[in-house]
Amino acid sequence: MRRNPQELDKMRRAGKVVAEMHERTRAAIRPGITTLELDRVAREVLERRGATSNFLGYHGFPAVICTSPNDMIVHGIPGGYRLEEGDIISIDCGAIVEGYHGDAAYSAGVGGISAEAARLIEVTERSLWAGIAQLTKGGRLHEVGRAVQEVAESAGFTVVREYVGHAIGTAMHEQPQVPNYWPGTPGPTLKTGMVFAVEPMVNAGGPGTRLLDDGWSVVTADGSLSAHFEHTIAVTEDGPEVFTLA
Ligand code: MG
Ligand code: MG
């Protein structure tokens, strides 16, 4: 699906709201804060900007962000968990402006973290940017996953297979999917106006995942740490344009 300039402008505005949710939640991260309090910080941004949530009510999801600490990969439900010094936390945020969606995630340390945890976060973010660089007119979509995988695996980490990125527009999750690994085929040819959410999930141990009994929280099968970074990006004549940057 290719978006026209008016649609891209709405997605740009949704992306700015998501970027502000990142800024505000990142500034609130500290030992002792609960993940539910981080959700309230994000809600306040949505309300003040007149945007709506694409997470709240999604298949019954009860919050406007996902909060996934330590070995949790994605989709953690905000609640009573209190962040502790040394934790890492992945926060996924989304917003809708005039019917168009933005979606982006980041991982951060809580206070001082181990060198290995810091390296996992740095490599995962770098793998996202390597993937984003592939979103050029005439390129092939699955080069994104190839680039992500190369960065993650050359650092000794693994990429999650069961959860992937996606096209985005008038729905948060549109086709086609954007794997974070080389799936064996080059995939669709990229055209201007296409918009994707690229979102590497990188594990310090093996790539396997496990779904917790709450039906949402996805953790690493081996209990190793996991990090998650995501942006919403358009393919333009001038290369990739990241909508979810401040
Ligand atoms: Mg997301
Ligand atoms: Mg997404």
Side-chain angles (χ1 to χ4, degrees), residues 103 166 173 197 199 230:
D103 181 15
H166 47 93
H173 296 137
E199 52 178 314
E230 176 180 30

PDB file of all heavy atoms in Angstrom, residues 103 166 173 197 199 230, ligand 2:
ATOM      1  N   ASP A 103       3.951   3.896  15.548  1.00  0.00           N
ATOM      2  CA  ASP A 103       4.290   2.755  16.413  1.00  0.00           C
ATOM      3  C   ASP A 103       5.810   2.747  16.566  1.00  0.00           C
ATOM      4  O   ASP A 103       6.521   2.743  15.558  1.00  0.00           O
ATOM      5  CB  ASP A 103       3.787   1.484  15.702  1.00  0.00           C
ATOM      6  CG  ASP A 103       4.022   0.193  16.463  1.00  0.00           C
ATOM      7  OD1 ASP A 103       4.321   0.236  17.673  1.00  0.00           O
ATOM      8  OD2 ASP A 103       3.878  -0.878  15.827  1.00  0.00           O
ATOM      9  N   HIS A 166       6.106  -4.784  10.480  1.00  0.00           N
ATOM     10  CA  HIS A 166       4.858  -4.794   9.696  1.00  0.00           C
ATOM     11  C   HIS A 166       4.712  -3.487   8.934  1.00  0.00           C
ATOM     12  O   HIS A 166       5.247  -2.458   9.341  1.00  0.00           O
ATOM     13  CB  HIS A 166       3.676  -4.973  10.653  1.00  0.00           C
ATOM     14  CG  HIS A 166       3.726  -4.066  11.858  1.00  0.00           C
ATOM     15  ND1 HIS A 166       3.099  -2.829  11.880  1.00  0.00           N
ATOM     16  CD2 HIS A 166       4.377  -4.161  13.043  1.00  0.00           C
ATOM     17  CE1 HIS A 166       3.350  -2.252  13.054  1.00  0.00           C
ATOM     18  NE2 HIS A 166       4.136  -3.026  13.783  1.00  0.00           N
ATOM     19  N   HIS A 173      -1.217  -2.845  12.312  1.00  0.00           N
ATOM     20  CA  HIS A 173      -0.541  -3.998  11.695  1.00  0.00           C
ATOM     21  C   HIS A 173      -1.143  -4.263  10.327  1.00  0.00           C
ATOM     22  O   HIS A 173      -2.257  -4.758  10.217  1.00  0.00           O
ATOM     23  CB  HIS A 173      -0.680  -5.236  12.587  1.00  0.00           C
ATOM     24  CG  HIS A 173       0.001  -5.086  13.904  1.00  0.00           C
ATOM     25  ND1 HIS A 173      -0.555  -5.497  15.093  1.00  0.00           N
ATOM     26  CD2 HIS A 173       1.199  -4.554  14.225  1.00  0.00           C
ATOM     27  CE1 HIS A 173       0.284  -5.230  16.092  1.00  0.00           C
ATOM     28  NE2 HIS A 173       1.348  -4.654  15.589  1.00  0.00           N
ATOM     29  N   ALA A 197       6.780  -0.379   9.996  1.00  0.00           N
ATOM     30  CA  ALA A 197       7.316  -0.380  11.358  1.00  0.00           C
ATOM     31  C   ALA A 197       8.369  -1.492  11.410  1.00  0.00           C
ATOM     32  O   ALA A 197       8.037  -2.671  11.279  1.00  0.00           O
ATOM     33  CB  ALA A 197       6.216  -0.634  12.372  1.00  0.00           C
ATOM     34  N   GLU A 199      11.103  -3.417  13.640  1.00  0.00           N
ATOM     35  CA  GLU A 199      11.206  -3.586  15.099  1.00  0.00           C
ATOM     36  C   GLU A 199      11.982  -4.825  15.518  1.00  0.00           C
ATOM     37  O   GLU A 199      11.408  -5.816  15.926  1.00  0.00           O
ATOM     38  CB  GLU A 199       9.824  -3.582  15.741  1.00  0.00           C
ATOM     39  CG  GLU A 199       8.789  -4.524  15.162  1.00  0.00           C
ATOM     40  CD  GLU A 199       7.485  -4.424  15.950  1.00  0.00           C
ATOM     41  OE1 GLU A 199       7.518  -4.433  17.195  1.00  0.00           O
ATOM     42  OE2 GLU A 199       6.426  -4.336  15.322  1.00  0.00           O
ATOM     43  N   GLU A 230      12.114   0.084  17.801  1.00  0.00           N
ATOM     44  CA  GLU A 230      11.191   0.179  16.659  1.00  0.00           C
ATOM     45  C   GLU A 230      11.024   1.631  16.237  1.00  0.00           C
ATOM     46  O   GLU A 230      10.981   2.529  17.091  1.00  0.00           O
ATOM     47  CB  GLU A 230       9.821  -0.381  17.058  1.00  0.00           C
ATOM     48  CG  GLU A 230       8.739  -0.265  15.991  1.00  0.00           C
ATOM     49  CD  GLU A 230       7.405  -0.845  16.438  1.00  0.00           C
ATOM     50  OE1 GLU A 230       7.108  -0.815  17.657  1.00  0.00           O
ATOM     51  OE2 GLU A 230       6.664  -1.315  15.566  1.00  0.00           O
TER      52      GLU A 230
HETATM   53 MG    MG B   2       4.981  -2.618  15.715  1.00  0.00          MG
END
